[in-house]
Amino acid sequence: MLSFAWISALLVGIISAHFLQKLCFPYFWKDFFFLLSLTRYGMKLELFRLTSRVCTVLDRFIQQAHRNPDKAFIIYEGSVHTYKDIEQRSNRLANVFLQKLNVTKGDCVALLMNNEPDFVCVWFGLAKVGCPVAFLNTNIKSRSLLHCITCCGAKAVIVGADLVECVGGIVSNLLEDNIQVWAMKSHCGDTKMESILDHIDAATDKPLPAVLRATTSLKSPTLFIFTSGTTGLPKAAVITHLQSLKAAGGCWAFGVTKKDVIYISLPLYHSAASLIGIGGTIELGATCILKKKFSASQFWNDCRKHNVTVFQYIGELCRYLCNQPKTEIDKVHSVRIGIGNGLRQDVWQEFLRRYGNIQMCEVYGSTEGNLCFMNHIGKIGRVGRSNFIYRLLLKYDLVKYDMMKEEPMKDQYGFCQRVKKGETGLLLSKVSALTPFFGYAGSKQLTEKKLIRNVFVKGDAYFNTGDLMAEDNEGFISFKDRVGDTFRWKGENVATTDVAETLGSVDFIQEINVYGVEIAGQEGRAGMAAIILRPGFMFDGSKFFQHVVMELPTYARPLFIRLQVVMEMTSTLKQQKFNLVQSGFNPSTISDPLYVLDYQQNSYIPLTKSAYQSILCGERKL
């Protein structure tokens, strides 16, 4: 009788504890098992550090090529490239690089190539020689492109066959700086470039000595990935083996397995596609479908054709898919997981309604940052999930930010002030041995500008994300806005000072202030420029259009122009953007002349009230 009473009491206790946990800590077990997975992966990296025997992403690929040589690694435009195929071709390229490029272990080589299997082959071929690789944004041009190549100390540039014309104007500059230019095409002729393909057939696919690619430190640089910042020209973020290995574990952390087929349509020069997408595929030994360029009309047909189960996204990509004409087979597919960032709450909800119960795994982080949030719960509209254990491991804080002065608010002692739960604040991440910040190549000053020192105590240092965030009482984190001189449009960061410098050379412009404005129903902010004309000059929409199209990538081109007589400045003589951003581009409330970019007329034309309404209704293509 006594034992029955004890058993009954125990059962009641267990049931009560279960309901109490569900009521007060509803995400306890999901958090527990997710953190357990991350801890297991972290212990593997810690073992690399302690033993000084690092198994890099490249090493992992070579392992997979030996274990599953005939398994499809990359499927591209209907062609299947097995792990063995990529291994052998990257070996051939490695031998060509070693013998013909005259580069040695530690020399940086820049890569300008669109999405294709050879992007990975060249990347791995260079890595097998021991060369860090700088991924160049295929949208950048002339002066910016030259800057990117030189700032990372590149000894050579490898150019894709379809991008040879993009470097034509700067080849002489590169050769003068003793930077070799090689193209992935045959018979380059008189372009002053050397051909890689003319040598590859004669090259052996025998592996180079492992000592060339080996490293004993997780902190050794392996890549340089360019990111737009507030300083204008793109900056080369240093990507170490530690960062690349962490990113490669992202898919695994969200439950992706070797049986999955991963769809990658984001550009490989971005860290998301290369580090998380390709790196994640390699870590699992899975298969990826590589798309040269994202196509909303082809996306779901591709997924059905190749039985895709996982895809990478940015918020803009999902919005494009939601804008496609509805069909009866919208939910007929095998996709179960989406991994990405920047998915707005309304688009997220519409995407699930339209295409079914897909687990959307939102990730927050920057290429160069030392902090990552992962929304493993799948809470709609949140970029990540935190708890007290996460805070112990990764020290981050949200601090009060003055939008007018564009700087963190300080207390009477000169220290930053934390915001309360639910309030919006600037996200800062502490720099420590556990969360190092590796900065940018070529300039300690650029690295230092991303740090804030003496934040809460004298001597501390925090990485400034430049993002305004909020954390609710349940620990869910949401993105609110970007601060400073950078905004996002079409999935890319746009540096306003870079755009202003490029456009400021137009002869009728005296002063220009570039910023981003919100458009209802659109992700990010569209570019807008407030301009003061030189005395005696008129605004020439056609001439300005030609300059913009020639010098700037699509996502960085201002959609709107506002002509002003006086440029508003801050007390520290900086251009005032806050009021301009707030006033937007409504011709009914702005007395200044407004213009809009028009690709049909190849000009900037007056922004009328009817044109403004067509933009808000989504009738006008942006």
Side-chain angles (χ1 to χ4, degrees):
M1 192 71 179
L2 184 63
S3 60
F4 177 77
W6 274 104
I7 293 172
S8 299
L10 181 61
L11 288 174
V12 170
I14 292 173
I15 294 171
S16 300
H18 173 73
F19 282 106
L20 186 64
Q21 176 261 311
K22 286 285 186 182
L23 182 64
C24 301
F25 306 100
Y27 308 107
F28 176 82
W29 290 111
K30 286 187 177 181
D31 285 344
F32 175 79
F33 287 115
F34 187 76
L35 285 171
L36 187 63
S37 297
L38 295 184
T39 302
R40 284 173 52 203
Y41 196 80
M43 288 175 66
K44 182 173 73 171
L45 300 184
E46 182 65 14
L47 187 62
F48 291 160
R49 187 185 68 82
L50 293 174
T51 60
S52 296
R53 296 178 61 183
V54 180
C55 180
T56 66
V57 171
L58 175 59
D59 291 329
R60 183 66 171 155
F61 166 75
I62 294 172
Q63 289 175 3
Q64 299 287 16
H66 289 165
R67 292 173 183 172
N68 302 291
D70 298 323
K71 181 170 183 177
F73 173 33
I74 296 173
I75 299 176
Y76 177 77
E77 295 185 347
S79 297
V80 177
H81 303 263
T82 66
Y83 278 84
K84 181 181 179 181
D85 293 336
I86 301 298
E87 164 72 351
Q88 290 181 336
R89 187 165 176 83
S90 62
N91 281 342
R92 288 182 183 276
L93 284 165
N95 281 288
V96 172
F97 296 149
L98 189 63
Q99 296 166 17
K100 303 296 182 181
L101 256 68
N102 196 30
V103 291
T104 58
K105 183 172 183 174
D107 290 341
C108 175
V109 178
L111 175 59
L112 181 68
M113 190 177 290
N114 285 310
N115 284 14
E116 58 180 284
D118 265 350
F119 184 108
V120 179
C121 292
V122 172
W123 168 15
F124 288 175
L126 289 167
K128 288 176 178 180
V129 181
C131 293
V133 185
F135 292 165
L136 299 174
N137 187 324
T138 56
N139 292 294
I140 57 177
K141 302 178 181 180
S142 57
R143 182 177 62 90
S144 293
L145 182 58
L146 183 61
H147 160 79
C148 290
I149 295 169
T150 56
C151 79
C152 61
K155 298 293 181 66
V157 185
I158 312 296
V159 185
D162 57 345
L163 293 173
V164 168
E165 292 183 1
C166 295
V167 297
I170 63 170
V171 170
S172 297
N173 303 82
L174 294 171
L175 295 177
E176 288 175 7
D177 290 335
N178 295 316
I179 299 174
Q180 305 172 69
V181 184
W182 290 71
M184 290 295 291
K185 64 180 297 186
S186 300
H187 314 300
C188 292
D190 58 355
T191 60
K192 298 181 182 179
M193 301 182 196
E194 298 285 345
S195 168
I196 291 177
L197 297 188
D198 288 349
H199 301 286
I200 192 170
D201 289 337
T204 176
D205 60 9
K206 183 179 179 180
L208 293 179
V211 67
L212 289 175
R213 69 173 189 269
T215 181
T216 59
S217 174
L218 284 168
K219 296 183 179 181
S220 298
T222 181
L223 296 170
F224 298 100
I225 296 181
F226 289 87
T227 176
S228 299
T230 58
T231 57
L233 291 169
K235 302 189 292 290
V238 178
I239 306 299
T240 65
H241 289 290
L242 175 63
Q243 291 160 292
S244 62
L245 285 167
K246 282 182 177 180
C251 291
W252 172 81
F254 281 125
V256 184
T257 72
K258 64 181 180 182
K259 296 180 180 179
D260 282 304
V261 178
I262 304 170
Y263 189 89
I264 303 175
S265 59
L266 303 179
L268 289 174
Y269 61 74
H270 270 182
S271 56
S274 53
L275 301 187
I276 299 177
I278 296 296
T281 301
I282 291 169
E283 173 63 26
L284 298 164
T287 298
C288 73
I289 310 301
L290 183 63
K291 192 77 173 174
K292 184 170 185 177
K293 190 176 181 181
F294 168 72
S295 169
S297 60
Q298 298 173 16
F299 181 89
W300 288 112
N301 287 335
D302 285 344
C303 289
R304 296 182 188 103
K305 178 181 178 181
H306 297 289
N307 294 315
V308 170
T309 55
V310 180
F311 76 100
Q312 284 192 284
Y313 69 84
I314 55 173
E316 193 77 349
L317 182 152
C318 294
R319 188 177 67 81
Y320 287 146
L321 292 176
C322 288
N323 288 340
Q324 286 292 295
K326 293 184 178 181
T327 71
E328 295 180 354
I329 58 172
D330 278 347
K331 294 183 180 180
V332 180
H333 56 77
S334 302
V335 176
R336 64 186 184 90
I337 294 177
I339 300 176
N341 63 78
L343 186 54
R344 213 171 59 197
Q345 182 168 332
D346 57 338
V347 177
W348 193 330
Q349 292 170 330
E350 173 60 23
F351 188 84
L352 296 183
R353 278 196 297 267
R354 177 85 178 269
Y355 298 109
N357 188 25
I358 300 172
Q359 179 187 349
M360 304 303 286
C361 303
E362 187 82 355
V363 180
Y364 168 83
S366 61
T367 301
E368 74 274 42
N370 63 342
L371 176 70
C372 176
F373 291 127
M374 304 172 80
N375 183 0
H376 61 278
I377 302 294
K379 180 102 170 178
I380 294 177
R382 304 297 185 266
V383 301
R385 167 93 178 131
S386 183
N387 50 53
F388 73 97
I389 298 177
Y390 200 90
R391 277 187 170 275
L392 287 175
L393 296 174
L394 303 176
K395 303 284 186 179
Y396 70 90
D397 279 285
L398 298 175
V399 300
K400 295 180 180 179
Y401 187 82
D402 189 324
M403 290 294 293
M404 294 296 290
K405 294 182 178 179
E406 295 186 345
E407 61 183 27
M409 296 180 181
K410 301 293 182 66
D411 62 17
Q412 57 183 326
Y413 304 106
F415 296 126
C416 292
Q417 306 174 65
R418 293 180 174 90
V419 300
K420 297 178 181 178
K421 286 280 188 179
E423 291 182 348
T424 298
L426 176 65
L427 176 64
L428 304 178
S429 175
K430 190 171 185 178
V431 178
S432 66
L434 189 63
T435 54
F437 171 56
F438 297 102
Y440 308 102
S443 174
K444 290 184 178 180
Q445 185 179 7
L446 291 177
T447 298
E448 187 62 30
K449 286 189 72 172
K450 286 298 293 184
L451 297 176
I452 299 180
R453 298 189 181 275
N454 305 317
V455 176
F456 298 114
V457 296
K458 287 186 178 181
D460 65 7
Y462 280 72
F463 172 75
N464 180 7
T465 67
D467 291 325
L468 294 173
M469 316 280 277
E471 182 176 342
D472 63 24
N473 290 323
E474 290 186 311
F476 288 102
I477 298 164
S478 55
F479 172 82
K480 296 299 182 182
D481 206 351
R482 294 186 66 83
V483 300
D485 295 326
T486 301
F487 60 90
R488 288 182 71 81
W489 180 245
K490 302 296 182 185
E492 297 277 357
N493 286 346
V494 181
T496 58
T497 49
D498 190 18
V499 176
E501 186 175 347
T502 300
L503 300 182
S505 61
V506 178
D507 59 6
F508 57 76
I509 294 178
Q510 177 172 297
E511 192 172 354
I512 185 168
N513 187 2
V514 179
Y515 51 98
V517 293
E518 290 184 341
I519 302 178
Q522 299 286 334
E523 298 283 349
R525 294 175 183 268
M528 186 166 184
I531 293 174
I532 294 179
L533 299 174
R534 292 183 183 276
F537 283 79
M538 299 287 288
F539 178 74
D540 187 335
S542 297
K543 185 175 184 179
F544 193 71
F545 175 90
Q546 293 299 326
H547 184 81
V548 164
V549 171
M550 183 179 298
E551 296 295 334
L552 292 174
T554 306
Y555 62 83
R557 296 169 187 169
L559 264 64
F560 308 107
I561 302 298
R562 177 175 179 171
L563 301 186
Q564 292 190 300
V565 177
V566 178
M567 193 74 71
E568 189 176 354
M569 310 294 285
T570 67
S571 58
T572 55
L573 301 181
K574 294 180 180 179
Q575 290 179 335
Q576 176 60 263
K577 299 179 188 289
F578 182 78
N579 292 334
L580 291 171
V581 170
Q582 294 299 307
S583 60
F585 61 102
N586 188 347
S588 298
T589 58
I590 298 173
S591 58
D592 297 328
L594 298 175
Y595 294 81
V596 61
L597 179 66
D598 192 308
Y599 283 103
Q600 291 185 337
Q601 299 188 40
N602 292 335
S603 181
Y604 279 83
I605 62 175
L607 178 60
T608 62
K609 293 181 180 178
S610 60
Y612 174 77
Q613 289 300 325
S614 69
I615 291 171
L616 295 187
C617 295
E619 298 172 354
R620 189 184 185 94
K621 186 177 180 180
L622 300 177

